[in-house]
């Protein structure tokens, strides 16, 4: 439900990054209808405890990207800035 716009892309990128960092989805798995209900009504499982080595700024960026209220999600430009602040260089 709702519209699909740039905020959906930001959310999807946040969910993908969450999965890549944790090797687990942000919501418990189960039947599609149950997961869809959780995505619509619940917050994702907290990232920090599941990925303790993740920089706090990156955790914050992903949490903002996955904000349930689309109006509170960052724009694409803001997302880039958040990720640049939250990321750390590769060894």
């Amino acid at each position: 439900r709702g519209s699909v716009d740039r905020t959906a892309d930001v959310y999807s990128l946040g969910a993908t990054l969450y999965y890549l960092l944790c090797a687990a989805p942000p919501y418990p798995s189960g039947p599609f209808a149950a997961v869809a209900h959780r995505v619509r009504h619940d917050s994702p499982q907290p990232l920090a405890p599941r990925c303790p080595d993740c920089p706090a700024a990156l955790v914050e960026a992903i949490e903002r990207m996955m904000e349930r209220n689309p109006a509170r999600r960052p724009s694409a430009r803001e997302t880039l800035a958040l990720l640049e602040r939250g990321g750390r260089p590769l060894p």
Side-chain angles (χ1 to χ4, degrees):
R1 296 190 179 200
S3 63
V4 177
D5 59 11
R6 62 129 184 113
T7 64
D9 292 337
V10 169
Y11 181 93
S12 295
L13 178 58
T16 300
L17 293 172
Y18 184 108
Y19 188 89
L20 289 171
L21 289 168
C22 293
Y27 295 92
S29 60
F32 174 78
V35 174
H37 183 270
R38 286 186 199 111
V39 169
R40 183 148 167 84
H41 298 285
D42 300 335
S43 296
Q45 297 178 39
L47 177 58
R50 299 182 85 191
C51 187
D53 294 335
C54 189
L58 185 55
V59 169
E60 178 188 347
I62 292 170
E63 288 174 351
R64 288 195 54 208
M65 293 167 70
M66 294 185 67
E67 170 68 44
R68 281 190 21 235
N69 180 349
R72 296 187 62 197
R73 290 182 200 143
S75 68
R77 188 177 309 273
E78 291 167 333
T79 297
L80 180 58
L82 286 169
L83 293 175
E84 286 175 339
R85 266 197 314 267
R88 57 182 154 174
L90 296 174

